Amino acid sequence: MELRTGDAVAARRRAEELREQILYHNHRYYTLDDPEISDAEYDRLMRELAALEAQFPELVTPDSPTQRVGGAVLEGFAKVRHEIPMLSLANAYGPDDLREFDRRVREVVQDPVRYVCELKVDGLAVSLRYEQGRLVRGATRGDGQVGEDITANIRTIRNVPLQLREPVTLEVRGEAYMPKRAFERLNREREQAGEPPFANPRNAAAGSLRQLDPKVAAARGLAVIIYNVADAPGQRLSSHSEALAFASRLGLPVAAETRVFEDIEAVIRHIESWATARHELPYATDGMVVKVDSLSAQAALGFTAKSPRWAIAYKYAAEQAETVLRDITLSVGRTGVVTPTAVFDPVVIAGTTVTRASLHNEDLIRERDIRVGDVIVVQKAGDIIPEVVRSLPERRTGQEQEFRMPTACPECGGALERLPDEVAWRCVNPVCPAQIRERIIHFASRDAMNIEGLGEQWVAQLVDRGLIRDVADLYHLRHEQLVPLERMGDRLASNLLAAIDQSKHNSLEKLLFGLGIRLVGEKAARTLARHFRDIDALMAADEADLTAIREIGPKMAASVVSYFRNPDAQHLIRRLKEAGVNTRYLPSAAALTAGTAGGADAGEAESTGAVSPFAGRTVVLTGTLSALDRKRASEWVEALGGKVTGSVSRQTDVLVVGEKAGSKLEKARRLVESGERPDLKIMDEAEFLAILRAHGADV
Ligand code: IVH
């Protein structure tokens, strides 16, 4: 009994410590954009906290970072009336518009006017309400008078404090946005899953905040920047810059690049100085907002029907560049889709040199009348994705070549087909070398089977030499077949074979994603693996079984069933199994980090009812284990909430001892015997395995 009380006290202390660390790292990551630890380390902190809270539910506080992961799926969004309307801003497109704005302001305000400049982050406006310091509501702008209640989704945004540093009641406004990195990742995932990518980070942020399932929103990596304190009863604030400083003191994320100027010419210089520098920021910006600083001056200026008279949005012109289109190349993807790409003379746009842009499909090339040799205008959509805006027909010399989609596959010469309701042309030859190559490259990629070192150049050579025709062939490659490849050599060949061999132990979701089933992206693969546990069960499932899973829609269900009904796929799976490739779900650390931190998997590890003795503990493995390798053993410990480190110290809680253990065991014994860590647990393999089995491990 006493021991349990002691445990609970230690757990509470550790939980508080973890929460503090997590908040600190959120601040470094989101506000300062200067993380100190890797994502994996961050996830480890979150997992440890989740494991502690699972063990001691009384430790869960509503503002714990683990509570961000949304629970129930919403039916729809409730409406929220904005007591203070959410207005929009008038626009300025050049310095003269700003001077005109300044003139209108000074007609009303007699005293010298100070202006605040803020970056205009490209996202969507949100309103956050705190009562007694607690986040009680998040809402979209809607039509400015009535928005939607998106509290559940807002709570999942990591840089939004659930609890302010002081127990104040206030409403703040800001921009919810998707950082460039998260946007690129999301679009990569969507393309992998055969879903249309978002055109820009703003659409991606808006789409994510309107997700009815907060778990989806949670995984999207959104962030918020606060630019306005709308209502803070009882606070004596006399200027906008003071209000922002106040918000920042409360722990709210306020834009770091906010500056105050004494006159409009200084504002104009500042705006110009950011014209290109803004491209270096981790989020997309489309302008700068200029606001009168004094709140009494703001009150004197008032509003028009749509926008305040005390603020204006300066819009930078979307950076475009002219260049010459040299070629339109074609590439064949793993599903046979032939994609045209524009290749042009290098130009610098929004901070980087660009030489290529996808033209997506034949129709687009025709609609924009783009010909090889044309002078073209190129820009970056949402500051990120290069695109060809238009051609300049008036600059033609007569030498330009109209583009025509070939009727044969540029790789294998097979026929191209255009399906009735698709814009894409596809090579339908199943043994087209380009498709074979792309399928294998995808299979080996990091998010799939993660075969390190199996890059494009090797796959191309292996396919060209007829050494592999599908992914199962990889597992039959021999050293003497690899060595003669160009620039390969003995050592690389051994490394590559070892990496291929290692991939046999992956959990099912990696294999499922690697197979490249249409519409099955990384997330769906994880859902399927977790649900069916074994590829045989998945192969036996029909569409009704699949759509019964919440995250799986009818289109994906149909695609999965049709994939596994194909005898070629069945044959491939058989050969993969024969080669020793694991086809079962292993609730490993890899699966945990891939999900939302502290999400379903952590709960799952506990679901057998036993409480993990590794939760929140630091574990060291030593010696050789006979039943499983070091990597899998570590994954299990982590899946059960433990942290694995390499050496024994006073921080060590558990030492797992295999065959031929040496100095680590000695050191642990010394720590126990000297009384420094009398509670350090030394366990042998049998005990370790018994614990894993009690938690559902098949070892
Ligand atoms: S102030 C009454 N400040 O731009 C105050 N807006 O074009 C209205 N925006 O709806 C907004 N950054 O979504 C303000 N620093 C900033 C902003 C900002 C982005 C967005 C906001 C607004 C839109 C108006």
Side-chain angles (χ1 to χ4, degrees), residues 375-436:
V375 176
I376 51 171
V377 177
V378 181
Q379 71 175 20
K380 277 193 189 164
D383 263 4
I384 298 178
I385 308 164
E387 66 181 9
V388 179
V389 186
R390 60 177 183 277
S391 63
L392 300 176
E394 65 276 18
R395 305 268 291 268
R396 282 185 183 147
T397 62
Q399 300 299 301
E400 296 74 16
Q401 301 280 311
E402 258 183 75
F403 173 77
R404 241 178 256 297
M405 198 70 175
T407 50
C409 170
E411 287 271 351
C412 71
L416 295 186
E417 274 181 19
R418 187 169 168 161
L419 299 181
D421 43 308
E422 280 192 0
V423 284
W425 286 87
R426 279 176 201 272
C427 165
V428 290
N429 171 14
V431 292
C432 167
Q435 290 180 54
I436 294 179

Side-chain angles (χ1 to χ4, degrees), residues 58 62 118 129 186 228 505 600 645 651 672 682:
E58 70 274 18
E118 295 160 4
R129 186 168 176 77
L186 174 64
N228 186 20
H505 308 297
T645 61
Q651 266 66 52
V672 175
I682 298 176

Side-chain angles (χ1 to χ4, degrees), residues 87-89 91 118-121 124-125 141 175 227-228 289 291 308 310 313:
L87 298 177
S88 125
L89 293 171
N91 292 325
E118 295 160 4
L119 281 163
K120 189 166 181 299
V121 179
L124 69 153
R141 187 177 106 136
E175 198 81 349
Y227 53 64
N228 186 20
V289 182
K291 297 173 181 171
W310 43 263

Side-chain angles (χ1 to χ4, degrees), residues 517-520 528 538 541-549 551-565:
I517 304 167
R518 221 166 74 83
L519 302 181
V520 178
L528 293 171
L538 173 61
D542 62 17
E543 289 178 32
D545 298 331
L546 287 159
T547 46
I549 306 169
E551 295 94 330
I552 310 289
K555 279 197 195 143
M556 197 190 298
S559 164
V560 170
V561 169
S562 105
Y563 179 87
F564 286 116
R565 205 168 274 162

Side-chain angles (χ1 to χ4, degrees), residues 328-330 340 362 365-366 370-372 401-406:
I328 294 178
T329 60
L330 296 167
E362 186 192 17
I365 301 175
R366 192 153 312 133
I370 294 167
R371 304 181 189 177
V372 174
Q401 301 280 311
E402 258 183 75
F403 173 77
R404 241 178 256 297
M405 198 70 175

